[in-house]
């Protein structure tokens, strides 16, 4: 069994999750096939199809159980595992055509929102240490603070002047623990 702890070099290099998946997935594929011939795009497409089939089989079993029908069962963990397998295989297939899954997904999601007239949009995942991403996050934070202050009835100048105070108050506020507000009643 190998240690799943990331190497120091993996911890230093900032990258998005999908970029990390692509890098490590490619490395693992090369280690897996060794000196054998590359399987090719058709193999990767068939592998993805197989994993989607396994995911659908889990969905069928979960639906069967929800309806109270007889037959084999699946657990929610099985669903999560098959979703992960689909993503891993999709990345392997996308790599064959040099598709950046993050960029392609953002572009397609936003184009569909535009086409059907919905306001929901995706933006690129900021990479830790990326100056442009940090600046974009700061601009978004300032916009949220501005809207918060305006909703509170404060003048825009007051919103800009009190941004640090709002951030500090937000960071000090009780957090939702996933099941509701924290024990302090916040």
């Amino acid at each position: 069994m190998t240690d799943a702890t990331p190497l120091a070099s993996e911890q230093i290099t900032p990258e998005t999750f999908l970029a990390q998946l692509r890098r490590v997935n490619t490395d693992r594929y090369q280690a897996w096939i060794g000196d054998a011939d590359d399987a090719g795009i058709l193999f990767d497409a068939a592998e993805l199809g197989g994993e989607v089939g396994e995911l659908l089989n889990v969905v069928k079993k979960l639906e069967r159980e929800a309806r109270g029908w007889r037959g084999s069962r699946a657990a929610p963990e099985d669903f999560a595992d098959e979703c992960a397998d689909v993503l891993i295989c999709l990345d392997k297939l996308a790599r064959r055509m040099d598709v950046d899954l993050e960029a392609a997904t953002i572009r397609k999601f936003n184009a569909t929102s535009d086409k059907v007239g919905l306001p929901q949009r995706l933006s690129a995942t900021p990479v830790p240490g990326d100056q442009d991403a940090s600046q974009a996050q700061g601009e978004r934070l300032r916009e949220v603070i501005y809207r918060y202050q305006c909703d509170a009835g404060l003048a825009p100048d007051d919103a800009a002047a009190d941004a640090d105070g709002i951030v500090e108050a937000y960071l000090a506020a009780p957090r939702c623990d996933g099941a509701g507000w924290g024990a302090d009643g916040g």
Side-chain angles (χ1 to χ4, degrees), residues 122-133:
L122 292 175
S123 60
T125 304
V127 176
D130 181 342
Q131 190 66 16
D132 290 337

Side-chain angles (χ1 to χ4, degrees), residues 67-79:
R67 293 174 182 260
W69 296 353
R70 294 181 194 157
S72 57
R73 304 288 192 238
E77 298 82 30
D78 299 328
F79 180 81

Side-chain angles (χ1 to χ4, degrees), residues 1 3 17 21-22 31 55 75-76 82 86 88 98 103-105 110 113-115 138 149 151 159 181 184:
M1 184 170 188
D3 183 5
F17 167 75
L21 176 62
R22 174 68 52 91
L55 175 61
E82 295 307 330
V86 167
I88 291 164
D98 199 27
T105 303
N110 292 345
S113 287
D114 288 341
K115 183 172 136 182
Q149 289 284 25
D151 289 346
W181 288 101
D184 63 353

Side-chain angles (χ1 to χ4, degrees), residues 175-182:
R175 295 288 169 261
C176 179
D177 64 5
W181 288 101

